[in-house]
């Protein structure tokens, strides 16, 4: 029973995979179907009539898409840094002095720029192609008197 269930599961997965593969075959093309062949004009004296058949003509169109692109930029600024220094005025007399010095501080900034990307779309138009086709039945063949089957 387990083998039967697994075989059925494999069969269903195969069918679904084929459907997905078939659906992907038409991506990028217009999903329009060509018109059926149709007669153009009357039947001539030879029993032929002009028909119109549409053949696919594929071409590419290009379009530009603007997409945001984010990046990080490193910046630097000078910040004051205070520290104390011990100084000597006279031999046993010490005092502290606060000194300010500017030091670089680095930080990151998120920035955005717009990038243009070109996308190619494949499209399909149908171009008419004309041909002649025999539409009337030709005359029956003439019987051969020498043919034994014709008697």
């Amino acid at each position: 029973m387990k083998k039967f269930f697994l075989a059925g599961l494999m069969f269903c997965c195969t069918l679904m995979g084929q459907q997905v593969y078939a659906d992907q075959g038409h991506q990028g093309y217009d999903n329009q179907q060509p018109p059926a062949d149709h007669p153009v004009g009357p039947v001539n004296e030879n029993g032929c009539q002009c028909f119109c058949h549409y053949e696919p003509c594929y071409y590419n169109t290009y379009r530009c898409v603007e997409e945001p692109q984010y990046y990080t930029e490193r910046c630097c600024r000078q910040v004051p840094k205070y520290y104390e220094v011990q100084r000597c005025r006279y031999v046993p007399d010490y005092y502290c002095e606060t000194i300010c010095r500017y030091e670089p501080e680095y930080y990151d900034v998120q920035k955005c720029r717009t990038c243009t990307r070109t996308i190619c779309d494949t499209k399909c138009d149908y171009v008419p192609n004309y041909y002649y086709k025999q539409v009337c039945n030709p005359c029956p063949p003439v019987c051969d008197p020498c043919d034994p089957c014709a008697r």
Side-chain angles (χ1 to χ4, degrees):
M1 187 68 176
K2 184 177 179 181
K3 289 183 181 180
F4 180 70
F5 177 72
L6 287 175
L9 183 64
M10 291 290 287
F11 179 71
C12 290
C13 289
T14 304
L15 287 179
M16 290 171 54
Q18 287 177 350
Q19 180 64 32
V20 169
Y21 180 75
D23 289 342
Q24 289 175 351
H26 294 290
Q27 287 181 352
Y29 300 113
D30 294 334
N31 286 331
Q32 61 184 357
Q33 294 294 325
D37 291 5
H38 61 279
V40 179
V43 178
N44 64 9
E45 63 276 352
N46 296 334
C48 295
Q49 188 171 18
C50 182
F51 279 81
C52 180
H53 171 75
Y54 289 93
E55 293 181 353
C57 176
Y58 298 99
Y59 62 95
N60 294 329
T61 59
Y62 298 93
R63 59 187 167 99
C64 293
V65 177
E66 290 185 352
E67 296 178 340
Q69 185 179 19
Y70 295 97
Y71 64 99
T72 304
E73 187 175 282
R74 178 152 276 205
C75 297
C76 177
R77 64 180 167 208
Q78 299 293 325
V79 292
K81 202 72 150 190
Y82 296 98
Y83 59 96
E84 290 188 355
V85 177
Q86 190 175 21
R87 308 265 180 180
C88 177
R89 191 173 308 163
Y90 298 107
V91 175
D93 189 19
Y94 293 100
Y95 68 98
C96 289
E97 184 179 356
T98 303
I99 296 179
C100 176
R101 180 173 39 178
Y102 287 92
E103 293 181 351
E105 180 182 79
Y106 296 97
Y107 61 98
D108 294 332
V109 176
Q110 285 285 337
K111 291 194 174 183
C112 177
R113 64 178 161 227
T114 304
C115 294
T116 304
R117 187 171 60 125
T118 304
I119 297 177
C120 175
D121 294 325
T122 302
K123 298 203 176 199
C124 177
D125 279 344
Y126 291 97
V127 178
N129 186 14
Y130 298 97
Y131 65 95
Y132 282 96
K133 179 177 168 184
Q134 186 89 26
V135 291
C136 296
N137 293 334
C139 296
V142 178
C143 296
D144 186 10
C146 298
D147 185 18
C149 296
R151 296 181 187 160

mmCIF file with all atom_site columns, all heavy atoms in Angstrom, residues 35-50:
data_model
loop_
_atom_site.group_PDB
_atom_site.id
_atom_site.type_symbol
_atom_site.label_atom_id
_atom_site.label_alt_id
_atom_site.label_comp_id
_atom_site.label_asym_id
_atom_site.label_entity_id
_atom_site.label_seq_id
_atom_site.pdbx_PDB_ins_code
_atom_site.Cartn_x
_atom_site.Cartn_y
_atom_site.Cartn_z
_atom_site.occupancy
_atom_site.B_iso_or_equiv
_atom_site.pdbx_formal_charge
_atom_site.auth_seq_id
_atom_site.auth_comp_id
_atom_site.auth_asym_id
_atom_site.auth_atom_id
_atom_site.pdbx_PDB_model_num
ATOM 1   N N   . PRO A 1 35 ? -4.634  34.483 -35.500 1.00 0.00 ? 35 PRO A N   1
ATOM 2   C CA  . PRO A 1 35 ? -5.945  34.211 -36.090 1.00 0.00 ? 35 PRO A CA  1
ATOM 3   C C   . PRO A 1 35 ? -5.850  32.998 -37.018 1.00 0.00 ? 35 PRO A C   1
ATOM 4   O O   . PRO A 1 35 ? -4.800  32.692 -37.574 1.00 0.00 ? 35 PRO A O   1
ATOM 5   C CB  . PRO A 1 35 ? -6.257  35.476 -36.881 1.00 0.00 ? 35 PRO A CB  1
ATOM 6   C CG  . PRO A 1 35 ? -5.251  36.487 -36.466 1.00 0.00 ? 35 PRO A CG  1
ATOM 7   C CD  . PRO A 1 35 ? -4.110  35.772 -35.848 1.00 0.00 ? 35 PRO A CD  1
ATOM 8   N N   . ALA A 1 36 ? -6.956  32.319 -37.160 1.00 0.00 ? 36 ALA A N   1
ATOM 9   C CA  . ALA A 1 36 ? -6.978  31.141 -38.029 1.00 0.00 ? 36 ALA A CA  1
ATOM 10  C C   . ALA A 1 36 ? -6.882  31.587 -39.490 1.00 0.00 ? 36 ALA A C   1
ATOM 11  O O   . ALA A 1 36 ? -7.187  32.732 -39.841 1.00 0.00 ? 36 ALA A O   1
ATOM 12  C CB  . ALA A 1 36 ? -8.260  30.363 -37.800 1.00 0.00 ? 36 ALA A CB  1
ATOM 13  N N   . ASP A 1 37 ? -6.449  30.647 -40.339 1.00 0.00 ? 37 ASP A N   1
ATOM 14  C CA  . ASP A 1 37 ? -6.393  30.945 -41.776 1.00 0.00 ? 37 ASP A CA  1
ATOM 15  C C   . ASP A 1 37 ? -7.810  31.235 -42.271 1.00 0.00 ? 37 ASP A C   1
ATOM 16  O O   . ASP A 1 37 ? -8.760  30.535 -41.916 1.00 0.00 ? 37 ASP A O   1
ATOM 17  C CB  . ASP A 1 37 ? -5.813  29.753 -42.536 1.00 0.00 ? 37 ASP A CB  1
ATOM 18  C CG  . ASP A 1 37 ? -4.342  29.548 -42.233 1.00 0.00 ? 37 ASP A CG  1
ATOM 19  O OD1 . ASP A 1 37 ? -3.815  30.267 -41.371 1.00 0.00 ? 37 ASP A OD1 1
ATOM 20  O OD2 . ASP A 1 37 ? -3.732  28.675 -42.858 1.00 0.00 ? 37 ASP A OD2 1
ATOM 21  N N   . HIS A 1 38 ? -7.935  32.257 -43.106 1.00 0.00 ? 38 HIS A N   1
ATOM 22  C CA  . HIS A 1 38 ? -9.243  32.605 -43.637 1.00 0.00 ? 38 HIS A CA  1
ATOM 23  C C   . HIS A 1 38 ? -9.109  32.963 -45.117 1.00 0.00 ? 38 HIS A C   1
ATOM 24  O O   . HIS A 1 38 ? -8.069  33.455 -45.561 1.00 0.00 ? 38 HIS A O   1
ATOM 25  C CB  . HIS A 1 38 ? -9.877  33.752 -42.841 1.00 0.00 ? 38 HIS A CB  1
ATOM 26  C CG  . HIS A 1 38 ? -9.090  35.023 -42.881 1.00 0.00 ? 38 HIS A CG  1
ATOM 27  N ND1 . HIS A 1 38 ? -8.011  35.229 -42.069 1.00 0.00 ? 38 HIS A ND1 1
ATOM 28  C CD2 . HIS A 1 38 ? -9.230  36.136 -43.637 1.00 0.00 ? 38 HIS A CD2 1
ATOM 29  C CE1 . HIS A 1 38 ? -7.505  36.432 -42.320 1.00 0.00 ? 38 HIS A CE1 1
ATOM 30  N NE2 . HIS A 1 38 ? -8.225  36.999 -43.265 1.00 0.00 ? 38 HIS A NE2 1
ATOM 31  N N   . PRO A 1 39 ? -10.192 32.688 -45.901 1.00 0.00 ? 39 PRO A N   1
ATOM 32  C CA  . PRO A 1 39 ? -10.128 32.971 -47.339 1.00 0.00 ? 39 PRO A CA  1
ATOM 33  C C   . PRO A 1 39 ? -10.200 34.462 -47.609 1.00 0.00 ? 39 PRO A C   1
ATOM 34  O O   . PRO A 1 39 ? -10.820 35.219 -46.878 1.00 0.00 ? 39 PRO A O   1
ATOM 35  C CB  . PRO A 1 39 ? -11.350 32.243 -47.899 1.00 0.00 ? 39 PRO A CB  1
ATOM 36  C CG  . PRO A 1 39 ? -12.258 32.057 -46.746 1.00 0.00 ? 39 PRO A CG  1
ATOM 37  C CD  . PRO A 1 39 ? -11.407 32.007 -45.519 1.00 0.00 ? 39 PRO A CD  1
ATOM 38  N N   . VAL A 1 40 ? -9.520  34.858 -48.667 1.00 0.00 ? 40 VAL A N   1
ATOM 39  C CA  . VAL A 1 40 ? -9.518  36.252 -49.102 1.00 0.00 ? 40 VAL A CA  1
ATOM 40  C C   . VAL A 1 40 ? -9.886  36.257 -50.587 1.00 0.00 ? 40 VAL A C   1
ATOM 41  O O   . VAL A 1 40 ? -9.158  35.714 -51.399 1.00 0.00 ? 40 VAL A O   1
ATOM 42  C CB  . VAL A 1 40 ? -8.124  36.898 -48.901 1.00 0.00 ? 40 VAL A CB  1
ATOM 43  C CG1 . VAL A 1 40 ? -8.126  38.330 -49.385 1.00 0.00 ? 40 VAL A CG1 1
ATOM 44  C CG2 . VAL A 1 40 ? -7.702  36.828 -47.449 1.00 0.00 ? 40 VAL A CG2 1
ATOM 45  N N   . GLY A 1 41 ? -11.012 36.833 -50.922 1.00 0.00 ? 41 GLY A N   1
ATOM 46  C CA  . GLY A 1 41 ? -11.416 36.926 -52.324 1.00 0.00 ? 41 GLY A CA  1
ATOM 47  C C   . GLY A 1 41 ? -12.176 35.691 -52.782 1.00 0.00 ? 41 GLY A C   1
ATOM 48  O O   . GLY A 1 41 ? -12.291 34.683 -52.088 1.00 0.00 ? 41 GLY A O   1
ATOM 49  N N   . PRO A 1 42 ? -12.693 35.768 -54.021 1.00 0.00 ? 42 PRO A N   1
ATOM 50  C CA  . PRO A 1 42 ? -13.500 34.663 -54.563 1.00 0.00 ? 42 PRO A CA  1
ATOM 51  C C   . PRO A 1 42 ? -12.618 33.544 -55.131 1.00 0.00 ? 42 PRO A C   1
ATOM 52  O O   . PRO A 1 42 ? -11.418 33.698 -55.305 1.00 0.00 ? 42 PRO A O   1
ATOM 53  C CB  . PRO A 1 42 ? -14.308 35.339 -55.675 1.00 0.00 ? 42 PRO A CB  1
ATOM 54  C CG  . PRO A 1 42 ? -13.410 36.432 -56.145 1.00 0.00 ? 42 PRO A CG  1
ATOM 55  C CD  . PRO A 1 42 ? -12.664 36.908 -54.914 1.00 0.00 ? 42 PRO A CD  1
ATOM 56  N N   . VAL A 1 43 ? -13.283 32.433 -55.445 1.00 0.00 ? 43 VAL A N   1
ATOM 57  C CA  . VAL A 1 43 ? -12.607 31.297 -56.073 1.00 0.00 ? 43 VAL A CA  1
ATOM 58  C C   . VAL A 1 43 ? -12.393 31.649 -57.541 1.00 0.00 ? 43 VAL A C   1
ATOM 59  O O   . VAL A 1 43 ? -13.300 32.123 -58.221 1.00 0.00 ? 43 VAL A O   1
ATOM 60  C CB  . VAL A 1 43 ? -13.463 30.019 -55.941 1.00 0.00 ? 43 VAL A CB  1
ATOM 61  C CG1 . VAL A 1 43 ? -12.797 28.850 -56.632 1.00 0.00 ? 43 VAL A CG1 1
ATOM 62  C CG2 . VAL A 1 43 ? -13.715 29.711 -54.486 1.00 0.00 ? 43 VAL A CG2 1
ATOM 63  N N   . ASN A 1 44 ? -11.163 31.418 -58.056 1.00 0.00 ? 44 ASN A N   1
ATOM 64  C CA  . ASN A 1 44 ? -10.890 31.755 -59.452 1.00 0.00 ? 44 ASN A CA  1
ATOM 65  C C   . ASN A 1 44 ? -11.302 30.599 -60.369 1.00 0.00 ? 44 ASN A C   1
ATOM 66  O O   . ASN A 1 44 ? -11.812 29.572 -59.919 1.00 0.00 ? 44 ASN A O   1
ATOM 67  C CB  . ASN A 1 44 ? -9.422  32.152 -59.644 1.00 0.00 ? 44 ASN A CB  1
ATOM 68  C CG  . ASN A 1 44 ? -8.451  31.030 -59.349 1.00 0.00 ? 44 ASN A CG  1
ATOM 69  O OD1 . ASN A 1 44 ? -8.851  29.888 -59.160 1.00 0.00 ? 44 ASN A OD1 1
ATOM 70  N ND2 . ASN A 1 44 ? -7.176  31.356 -59.304 1.00 0.00 ? 44 ASN A ND2 1
ATOM 71  N N   . GLU A 1 45 ? -11.064 30.745 -61.691 1.00 0.00 ? 45 GLU A N   1
ATOM 72  C CA  . GLU A 1 45 ? -11.513 29.753 -62.665 1.00 0.00 ? 45 GLU A CA  1
ATOM 73  C C   . GLU A 1 45 ? -10.785 28.415 -62.531 1.00 0.00 ? 45 GLU A C   1
ATOM 74  O O   . GLU A 1 45 ? -11.255 27.396 -63.002 1.00 0.00 ? 45 GLU A O   1
ATOM 75  C CB  . GLU A 1 45 ? -11.356 30.290 -64.104 1.00 0.00 ? 45 GLU A CB  1
ATOM 76  C CG  . GLU A 1 45 ? -9.936  30.586 -64.518 1.00 0.00 ? 45 GLU A CG  1
ATOM 77  C CD  . GLU A 1 45 ? -9.438  31.962 -64.084 1.00 0.00 ? 45 GLU A CD  1
ATOM 78  O OE1 . GLU A 1 45 ? -10.214 32.779 -63.585 1.00 0.00 ? 45 GLU A OE1 1
ATOM 79  O OE2 . GLU A 1 45 ? -8.244  32.199 -64.233 1.00 0.00 ? 45 GLU A OE2 1
ATOM 80  N N   . ASN A 1 46 ? -9.634  28.374 -61.874 1.00 0.00 ? 46 ASN A N   1
ATOM 81  C CA  . ASN A 1 46 ? -8.894  27.126 -61.679 1.00 0.00 ? 46 ASN A CA  1
ATOM 82  C C   . ASN A 1 46 ? -9.334  26.386 -60.419 1.00 0.00 ? 46 ASN A C   1
ATOM 83  O O   . ASN A 1 46 ? -8.790  25.328 -60.111 1.00 0.00 ? 46 ASN A O   1
ATOM 84  C CB  . ASN A 1 46 ? -7.390  27.404 -61.565 1.00 0.00 ? 46 ASN A CB  1
ATOM 85  C CG  . ASN A 1 46 ? -6.829  27.983 -62.836 1.00 0.00 ? 46 ASN A CG  1
ATOM 86  O OD1 . ASN A 1 46 ? -7.370  27.756 -63.911 1.00 0.00 ? 46 ASN A OD1 1
ATOM 87  N ND2 . ASN A 1 46 ? -5.755  28.731 -62.713 1.00 0.00 ? 46 ASN A ND2 1
ATOM 88  N N   . GLY A 1 47 ? -10.265 26.926 -59.664 1.00 0.00 ? 47 GLY A N   1
ATOM 89  C CA  . GLY A 1 47 ? -10.731 26.292 -58.437 1.00 0.00 ? 47 GLY A CA  1
ATOM 90  C C   . GLY A 1 47 ? -9.843  26.596 -57.243 1.00 0.00 ? 47 GLY A C   1
ATOM 91  O O   . GLY A 1 47 ? -9.889  25.912 -56.236 1.00 0.00 ? 47 GLY A O   1
ATOM 92  N N   . CYS A 1 48 ? -9.013  27.657 -57.379 1.00 0.00 ? 48 CYS A N   1
ATOM 93  C CA  . CYS A 1 48 ? -8.121  28.034 -56.284 1.00 0.00 ? 48 CYS A CA  1
ATOM 94  C C   . CYS A 1 48 ? -8.655  29.287 -55.610 1.00 0.00 ? 48 CYS A C   1
ATOM 95  O O   . CYS A 1 48 ? -9.300  30.123 -56.233 1.00 0.00 ? 48 CYS A O   1
ATOM 96  C CB  . CYS A 1 48 ? -6.715  28.303 -56.806 1.00 0.00 ? 48 CYS A CB  1
ATOM 97  S SG  . CYS A 1 48 ? -5.923  26.837 -57.479 1.00 0.00 ? 48 CYS A SG  1
ATOM 98  N N   . GLN A 1 49 ? -8.361  29.393 -54.350 1.00 0.00 ? 49 GLN A N   1
ATOM 99  C CA  . GLN A 1 49 ? -8.776  30.570 -53.599 1.00 0.00 ? 49 GLN A CA  1
ATOM 100 C C   . GLN A 1 49 ? -7.577  31.059 -52.781 1.00 0.00 ? 49 GLN A C   1
ATOM 101 O O   . GLN A 1 49 ? -6.768  30.264 -52.301 1.00 0.00 ? 49 GLN A O   1
ATOM 102 C CB  . GLN A 1 49 ? -9.944  30.240 -52.682 1.00 0.00 ? 49 GLN A CB  1
ATOM 103 C CG  . GLN A 1 49 ? -10.544 31.463 -52.028 1.00 0.00 ? 49 GLN A CG  1
ATOM 104 C CD  . GLN A 1 49 ? -11.828 31.150 -51.285 1.00 0.00 ? 49 GLN A CD  1
ATOM 105 O OE1 . GLN A 1 49 ? -12.103 29.994 -50.983 1.00 0.00 ? 49 GLN A OE1 1
ATOM 106 N NE2 . GLN A 1 49 ? -12.601 32.172 -50.992 1.00 0.00 ? 49 GLN A NE2 1
ATOM 107 N N   . CYS A 1 50 ? -7.478  32.378 -52.636 1.00 0.00 ? 50 CYS A N   1
ATOM 108 C CA  . CYS A 1 50 ? -6.391  32.975 -51.876 1.00 0.00 ? 50 CYS A CA  1
ATOM 109 C C   . CYS A 1 50 ? -6.744  32.911 -50.390 1.00 0.00 ? 50 CYS A C   1
ATOM 110 O O   . CYS A 1 50 ? -7.852  33.259 -49.985 1.00 0.00 ? 50 CYS A O   1
ATOM 111 C CB  . CYS A 1 50 ? -6.180  34.422 -52.316 1.00 0.00 ? 50 CYS A CB  1
ATOM 112 S SG  . CYS A 1 50 ? -4.808  35.223 -51.481 1.00 0.00 ? 50 CYS A SG  1
#
